[in-house]
Amino acid sequence: MKYSSLLILIFLKSIPLFGQGLLLSDGTNNIGFTGTDGSGFSATPSAGQLNSNEWKITGMSDGNTTFGGEYITGDYTRGTSSGGVGTGGVYIFDVGGGNKALGVQPGGSDFTPGFFHLQTTNNAGATIQEIEIAYDLHIYNDQGRANSLVFAHSADDASYTQVTALDYISEEAADAIPAWQTTNRSTTLTALQIANSSNYYFSWGGSDVSGAGSRDEFAISNISITVHLDEVTAPRFITNFPIARNITTDNFDLVVQLDEPGTAYYVVLPTGAPTPSNEQVKTGNDASGASAGISGSMSVPTANTDASSNVPGLVDGLTYDVYVIAEDDEGSPNLQASPTMIQVEASIESIAITEFINNPFGSEPTAEWIEIFNFGETSVDLNGWTLSDEGVDNITIANSSLIIPANSFLILANNKALFETEWLGGTLNAQVIDIPNFSLGNTSDQIILSNNTGTAVWSVAYNDDDTEGIATYLDYSESMDTRSYGSMALPGIVRNGNDNLGATLGYEGNNFTTDNKAYSSTQGDTGSPLDGDYIISLPVTLISWEGYFISSFTHLQWQTGSELNNEGFYIEASRDGVEFYDLDFVIGQGTKSSTSKYSYQDHTFEQSRYYRLRQVDFDGTKTWSEVIYIKNKDLYSQQLYPNPIAQQVYYSQAFQNEPLRFSIHTSQTKTFEGLVDWPEAKQRLLALQPGIYYISINNQIQKVIKK
């Protein structure tokens, strides 16, 4: 019988003292298994044995081993094999071409789960800062189970850190003709601080994932552990950084986050200028070596935390390419190989005050509100923005992130619940924001909307406006070129009788009979550019969701028709279509009535993977997409998926009208053979009784399970 998932490790021909592990020297330590024969583990190993001062195994039916013990019988001495064994235990496998690999055959009580632990000792004479570890993983997929192999590391052999990027899960369906398959795994472990003569531990752990019956064999060979006494890895920007915030007509804030402390350097160049090198950015030069004109640096004292620098000197209306490079704060600093570029347009955020009601029916100021509209092409974060007048009023709109997407609006209400009752029939709406401390004068006042740098983005001043229950709105014909509508001394909106339509600087709405777009607060929205949109529900509607394999990664893409209160999408992945894990997060558009396109590339993809989206609202509401399945067809002859087949089946190379040489076999007989198109072949597959079948399509045979 074959069993569950597995692990494998590293061996070096050395006999350290008890308590010491495999001795690590500065540089690359190459590890192989030539000369080993699977005859066990010993603190004083004989020819062919592994050193138990270096290896500890847990999860075997013959018990757990300890470092320095003697284990030369049973599960630990299964000998050598070329694969296809039926007894659980530790083997030395010949994986092809004379290459020997340390491996395991998992079983019901062997290695399900189980762990191989490698003990190493720093023998480099100084503190180890980083370790690069690489190995070849070999899989003999001859059984109908999917098994996992995970890698982790530890400073104390008790608390281990798993490197999820190295996780591996074998295919559940067995290969029709089993043979060893090989994949290379590697990672760099940083910020280790392993003192000289101290031990450090690595583990490989395996377990069952899905399927039934016996398990596949696993093995590892060609292992290398490269030791660095100085950190050699440059810092990395955290996802979505660097970023430009608080852009105005002459300056912006450059914000970065790094995965370790360091320094960020930048240059600001005209759009389309040649890309400078990393060293040129650091020295403040352009690609020709001349001074960039606008350049600088900033300290990043804490990892995964915003660091910002204000960048002045821009020209209103111009667009710039900003190149940013980072290095760490090691004694010999590590500089990133190439700069990251972001574009910045010197302009004030495109947010307009499109409507307000300053003298509502009922209680004041609780029924007052202001509508703002993003008429630009990018989202704007209102964190730190304020509403003020020329007196003492100065109210902060948001003390945390508050996104207003392009072509979207928000209502800043003195009382959110009251607004939703009077204007939305009691329907909750995420576009209505509670700002309880502001109030507007009935006859005259100013409304100044400022960004978090204190720059006035839009302002209006009104006078002689005392008509109760009538809103004031920005006329449809307004070009958005004017951002300031008067002041306290000279108001831009004057209401002293009938205000004929179009008579003011773009704003309308004082008299219900003359200005028929201005309504009382029980009759709906007024004449803003978003007339009537308050009563429209805009859930996140997914128009498309698809993906495909490209070279060495999968490309995922999806499109929404509209979005309401959308924080974003978690991309979930699975190797068996049952257990999903979070792969990454993509920020949504908040609220938007038009289409949005998204894409993501999964560079951790290996043989095949299931994907789905988990859309999350700002209030925590979650919605899942359908599951899609992507397979690297270059790795396989079989093309049917998913396998096992239940209520659906796909053929990765099928074309609608292409004839296929198609046959169905059981272990006893052939049940069908003929030249058919894919729809007919699919119908025959879905009609099969539960069992195991061998399907031939264009002379390529695949073993499938029908549920």
Side-chain angles (χ1 to χ4, degrees):
M1 294 289 292
K2 297 184 61 179
Y3 288 34
S4 164
S5 226
L6 90 320
L7 312 208
I8 316 305
L9 281 120
I10 307 176
F11 170 73
L12 192 63
K13 271 293 195 179
S14 60
I15 305 178
L17 298 175
F18 179 74
Q20 287 186 318
L22 185 149
L23 299 179
L24 297 178
S25 301
D26 188 16
T28 299
N29 302 265
N30 292 315
I31 300 158
F33 300 99
T34 300
T36 60
D37 58 13
S39 56
F41 301 80
S42 172
T44 55
S46 301
Q49 295 177 339
L50 297 178
N51 195 319
S52 64
N53 288 314
E54 300 167 356
W55 295 101
K56 179 179 72 172
I57 308 172
T58 59
M60 306 301 289
S61 59
D62 284 348
N64 299 334
T65 74
T66 59
F67 289 121
E70 191 87 358
Y71 306 96
I72 55 175
T73 61
D75 288 341
Y76 316 108
T77 59
R78 295 305 185 200
T80 60
S81 172
S82 59
V85 296
T87 302
V90 179
Y91 291 81
I92 294 296
F93 288 115
D94 185 342
V95 295
N99 185 20
K100 297 297 177 69
L102 176 61
V104 66
Q105 169 60 74
S109 54
D110 290 326
F111 227 80
T112 55
F115 295 86
F116 277 87
H117 299 271
L118 172 64
Q119 179 177 244
T120 66
T121 302
N122 180 2
N123 194 44
T127 299
I128 295 176
Q129 305 285 347
E130 291 187 357
I131 285 179
E132 298 176 50
I133 186 166
Y135 53 92
D136 285 338
L137 172 61
H138 310 279
I139 307 95
Y140 195 83
N141 183 28
D142 62 342
Q143 301 297 327
R145 270 192 191 265
N147 302 118
S148 65
L149 179 67
V150 301
F151 171 82
H153 58 103
S154 171
D156 58 9
D157 194 30
S159 177
Y160 277 82
T161 300
Q162 184 175 334
V163 181
T164 56
L166 300 188
D167 289 359
Y168 180 87
I169 296 181
S170 65
E171 288 289 317
E172 180 178 311
D175 291 343
I177 304 176
W180 286 103
Q181 302 175 27
T182 301
T183 180
N184 181 262
R185 322 295 283 177
S186 63
T187 191
T188 299
L189 308 177
T190 62
L192 296 179
Q193 297 294 313
I194 306 171
N196 189 46
S197 300
S198 295
N199 291 339
Y200 205 79
Y201 302 87
F202 305 92
S203 79
W204 287 255
S207 189
D208 289 339
V209 174
S210 63
S214 299
R215 284 88 171 168
D216 303 325
E217 294 100 318
F218 293 80
I220 287 184
S221 69
N222 299 324
I223 302 159
S224 69
I225 300 179
T226 301
V227 169
H228 297 291
L229 303 183
D230 292 319
E231 185 181 350
V232 297
T233 302
R236 291 183 292 267
F237 287 116
I238 302 303
T239 302
N240 298 325
F241 289 90
I243 188 172
R245 291 177 179 163
N246 307 320
I247 304 170
T248 72
T249 56
D250 60 4
N251 72 91
F252 69 96
D253 289 338
L254 177 63
V255 184
V256 302
Q257 280 193 19
L258 298 176
D259 64 349
E260 60 175 312
T263 302
Y265 303 88
Y266 63 88
V267 296
V268 181
L269 303 175
T271 294
T275 301
S277 69
N278 57 349
E279 290 290 351
Q280 287 170 329
V281 173
K282 182 177 178 180
T283 56
N285 294 327
D286 62 17
S288 71
S291 174
I294 302 175
S295 63
S297 65
M298 73 182 83
S299 173
V300 185
T302 307
N304 302 297
T305 303
D306 281 5
S308 65
S309 177
N310 182 258
V311 182
L314 308 186
V315 176
D316 188 9
L318 295 185
T319 301
Y320 297 87
D321 293 342
V322 182
Y323 290 92
V324 189
I325 199 79
E327 69 177 5
D328 57 27
D329 58 4
E330 295 296 314
S332 298
N334 300 291
L335 184 67
Q336 291 176 335
S338 58
T340 299
M341 190 271 281
I342 60 173
Q343 280 198 330
V344 173
E345 180 182 357
S347 62
I348 297 177
E349 296 92 342
S350 300
I351 307 296
I353 297 172
T354 48
E355 191 170 5
F356 59 91
I357 187 165
N358 56 291
N359 187 14
F361 290 130
S363 61
E364 294 191 52
T366 53
E368 296 175 355
W369 52 265
I370 300 169
E371 175 191 85
I372 61 174
F373 177 65
N374 183 352
F375 59 92
E377 298 180 355
T378 60
S379 297
V380 175
D381 190 344
L382 301 181
N383 181 17
W385 284 47
T386 61
L387 287 173
S388 63
D389 59 16
E390 295 182 43
V392 297
D393 291 344
N394 194 331
I395 306 301
T396 299
I397 295 174
N399 288 309
S400 59
S401 182
L402 176 61
I403 303 298
I404 178 169
N407 198 37
S408 296
F409 67 92
L410 291 176
I411 299 297
L412 309 179
N414 185 285
N415 187 303
K416 171 181 169 69
L418 182 60
F419 180 94
E420 290 166 339
T421 298
E422 289 193 345
W423 294 80
L424 307 180
T427 301
L428 300 181
N429 193 308
Q431 293 162 272
V432 182
I433 309 301
D434 213 12
I435 312 291
N437 295 319
F438 86 85
S439 64
L440 301 175
N442 284 350
T443 59
S444 63
D445 208 342
Q446 309 84 46
I447 309 173
I448 304 170
L449 177 67
S450 301
N451 63 23
N452 59 3
T453 65
T455 301
V457 174
W458 199 277
S459 66
V460 298
Y462 60 88
N463 191 26
D464 293 334
D465 189 0
D466 59 359
T467 306
E468 189 176 35
I470 303 301
T472 300
Y473 64 91
L474 191 64
D475 187 69
Y476 285 105
S477 62
E478 176 62 19
S479 67
M480 303 297 185
D481 290 336
T482 301
R483 289 175 176 263
S484 178
Y485 291 85
S487 63
M488 179 187 294
L490 187 63
I493 303 170
V494 179
R495 310 299 194 208
N496 52 5
N498 281 341
D499 177 23
N500 295 325
L501 190 63
T504 64
L505 296 175
Y507 277 85
E508 308 295 341
N510 74 312
N511 184 293
F512 179 76
T513 57
T514 301
D515 221 342
N516 59 12
K517 293 177 187 176
Y519 300 107
S520 66
S521 60
T522 58
Q523 295 180 272
D525 187 23
T526 67
S528 76
L530 294 148
D531 186 19
D533 277 353
Y534 295 156
I535 60 173
I536 298 176
S537 175
L538 297 174
V540 177
T541 55
L542 194 62
I543 296 176
S544 63
W545 161 232
E546 58 190 354
Y548 45 88
F549 179 76
I550 303 177
S551 180
S552 61
F553 61 88
T554 52
H555 179 83
L556 306 173
Q557 60 186 35
W558 63 102
Q559 183 175 352
T560 60
S562 62
E563 297 181 22
L564 173 62
N565 195 28
N566 179 24
E567 181 177 1
F569 303 87
Y570 285 94
I571 301 170
E572 297 184 356
S574 171
R575 293 175 175 85
D576 60 1
V578 178
E579 296 292 330
F580 283 83
Y581 60 93
D582 289 344
L583 186 64
D584 211 335
F585 179 78
V586 176
I587 297 174
Q589 292 291 323
T591 297
K592 187 177 181 183
S593 58
S594 56
T595 58
S596 298
K597 294 181 179 180
Y598 300 86
S599 65
Y600 180 84
Q601 293 179 354
D602 178 12
H603 290 274
T604 67
F605 179 85
E606 292 177 342
Q607 298 174 350
S608 65
R609 191 160 291 176
Y610 297 82
Y611 296 93
R612 69 185 182 189
L613 297 173
R614 184 173 82 250
Q615 184 271 320
V616 182
D617 290 346
F618 286 112
D619 62 5
T621 303
K622 305 178 183 67
T623 304
W624 280 265
S625 73
E626 65 177 357
V627 176
I628 61 174
Y629 178 83
I630 300 176
K631 188 172 186 178
N632 179 2
K633 62 186 179 216
D634 295 332
L635 294 179
Y636 301 90
S637 60
Q638 52 267 61
Q639 303 294 337
L640 296 172
Y641 63 92
N643 192 3
I645 298 171
Q647 298 179 346
Q648 190 58 273
V649 63
Y650 303 95
Y651 176 51
S652 63
Q653 296 182 349
F655 298 93
Q656 185 173 1
N657 299 315
E658 180 186 59
L660 306 172
R661 294 185 297 276
F662 179 75
S663 61
I664 304 174
H665 305 254
T666 68
S667 60
Q668 305 294 326
T669 184
K670 180 189 300 181
T671 63
F672 176 82
E673 183 176 23
L675 193 65
V676 301
D677 59 13
W678 168 242
E680 180 180 345
K682 178 179 179 179
Q683 183 178 9
R684 290 183 178 275
L685 290 170
L686 294 177
L688 291 173
Q689 296 297 312
I692 297 176
Y693 297 87
Y694 297 90
I695 309 300
S696 175
I697 301 179
N698 293 340
N699 298 322
Q700 294 183 342
I701 299 175
Q702 178 177 354
K703 176 184 175 182
V704 301
I705 300 172
K706 177 63 169 64
K707 288 187 175 181

